[in-house]
Amino acid sequence: MKRASGVLLPVFSLPSKYGIGCFSKEAYKFIDQLKEAGQSYWQILPLGPTGYGDSPYQSFSTYAGNPYFIDLKTLIKEGLLTKKECKVYDFGEQADSIDYEKIYNSRFKVLKKAFERFKKDEAYDNFIKENAYWLDDYSLYMAIKDSKGGISWNEWEEALKNREEAALENAREELAEEIDFYKFQQYEFDKQWSQLHAYANEQGIQIVGDIPIYVAFDGADTWASPELFQFDEENNPVAVAGCPPDDFSATGQLWGNPLYNWEYHKKTEYDWWIKRIRHCLKLYDVVRIDHFRGFDEYYSIPYGNKTAVDGTWMPGPGMDLFRTIEEKLGKLNIIAEDLGFLTESVLQMLSDSGFPGMKVIQFAFDPNGGSAYLPHNYPENSVVYTGTHDNDTTRGWYHSTDKATRDFAKEYMNAQRLDEDDLAWDFIRLAMSSKANLCVTPMQDLLNLDGKARINVPSTLGGNWTWRMEKGQFDEETVKRLKRMTWLYERLPREVEKKIK
């Protein structure tokens, strides 16, 4: 990975029309602005369909795309919708936030109208065939789920829960139109994303995608392939994922995701993982793997426990998984999310993999000193962020952290005080000037926004994943400033640097 920089902005945060960011003209404009600012990467969050809680890390499928990201204006141009039809629905009125309830109650109704006008063609047929290995199960799952009021598959009648063929065939016949509707959504998603991705690459922008380590229990992956997970004979989880108690949480974090049956995965030479990563490589140019340490050891909490206190660490597949993936798919562009407490074995796995790890500026300023997150300690083979989607904005963090941390940060930067209007940029400068090969800055920090623009507060439900950038916020002045800093710390693409010289 060459010395470069990029911006973190979720697709849903784009200032598109109709209530939520999508693959609209605003996405293309953002790519143009990234190019103009001398950036090389656009990092996004997972693109999967979301459910209760709206988290992109709890998706109904590890393969499917979020239908909310389908641009309605494109469907209007294709003759599948009219402006009048789109105006009928309330997608939410706040330009700086998403109202997911309104999106849920309107988006699918509009897409259904487009589906009713859609004529299948060769391109559609090819997409269905090429993606049948996941699309058939996903579409059937969602159709059945809708027909039962949205309940999870473990609450379905035994015949459907256990995938008895007669029950599945009956569902395919009864729900044929709804199944086709979900396939149509995925076709439109794939077509629009592929075009946007290709455009980004043409402009010299690579997409950094995000792959959650775990899948949701309420999803097509677990229903279609229960053998991949630690389930009992009745397909209930034996144990679930989470994190142990620490200084931030006395009872730990109970995520609730099903855990993998790694012994089974090894027997199949990690076939499911190979398919999953191969699919990601179609969507993205670089893949950030969430919770990398979970491949070395994972925290196992007995199913039914109310907290994460009584969990135990269990061995994961380690480098065996990544060596197998490399054998099958070749050398991969992967970023390892290695944040938090790391054991010697995790550090060794990271070293053996050769993947760049992550550094976060907000974690650097322990008043006692010696933090591995201080910029002068970074190895070149790393990716530095001022903050991630799970952090407060840098301005919000600075004002909410303790005085000792703030004082240490100012001492490190040799600054008696930090200007409020420029606060986030002082920390962006630290990240940009570091030795880390790649520097990624969240859009909220480029805009110097306070904590109201935070994307997510871990272990909380409601009010997350809603922030949107308003039209015009990423203005010409900010673009020029970002380009200048990118040039100053030698992160510009070579062809851009040559033009400047």
Side-chain angles (χ1 to χ4, degrees), residues 7-146:
V7 175
L8 169 59
L9 180 72
V11 170
F12 60 72
S13 294
L14 288 162
S16 309
K17 198 173 180 181
Y18 303 121
I20 191 170
C22 64
F23 307 144
S24 61
K25 66 179 183 181
E26 289 79 10
Y28 287 84
K29 181 182 178 182
F30 178 63
I31 289 168
D32 292 341
Q33 289 178 301
L34 289 177
K35 181 181 180 181
E36 190 181 343
Q39 302 307 289
S40 301
Y41 294 89
W42 175 14
Q43 181 166 334
I44 59 177
L45 298 187
L47 291 174
T50 55
Y52 182 65
D54 311 309
S55 171
Y57 292 89
Q58 294 282 352
S59 178
F60 292 129
S61 168
T62 194
Y63 295 101
N66 193 334
Y68 294 165
F69 296 160
I70 298 170
D71 179 37
L72 301 185
K73 283 190 171 183
T74 299
L75 299 184
I76 291 170
K77 288 178 184 175
E78 293 175 354
L80 297 178
L81 289 173
T82 66
K83 287 183 181 179
K84 188 176 180 181
E85 286 170 333
C86 293
K87 283 182 179 179
V88 169
Y89 297 99
D90 180 4
F91 297 97
E93 298 175 358
Q94 296 295 322
D96 61 351
S97 66
I98 300 163
D99 188 325
Y100 280 104
E101 184 178 0
K102 288 182 177 178
I103 294 291
Y104 176 79
N105 289 329
S106 58
R107 209 71 168 199
F108 290 106
K109 291 174 183 176
V110 175
L111 289 173
K112 195 66 177 283
K113 288 182 181 295
F115 165 68
E116 289 165 357
R117 294 191 181 104
F118 176 72
K119 302 286 189 246
K120 296 177 183 179
D121 56 16
E122 187 178 354
Y124 174 84
D125 291 339
N126 288 338
F127 172 80
I128 299 303
K129 289 174 187 174
E130 290 170 9
N131 294 277
Y133 68 97
W134 65 267
L135 185 57
D136 288 351
D137 283 323
Y138 168 72
S139 302
L140 178 58
Y141 180 80
M142 294 305 295
I144 296 173
K145 184 178 177 65
D146 285 352

Side-chain angles (χ1 to χ4, degrees), residues 5 37 39 424-433 441 446 479-492:
S5 60
Q39 302 307 289
W425 281 86
D426 290 319
F427 292 95
I428 293 170
R429 183 181 297 275
L430 278 182
M432 281 281 202
S433 64
T441 308
L446 293 175
V479 168
K480 286 180 179 178
R481 186 177 188 183
L482 178 57
K483 185 174 186 177
R484 180 68 183 178
M485 189 174 283
T486 305
W487 168 81
L488 187 63
Y489 295 113
E490 299 182 342
R491 294 184 180 276
L492 286 177

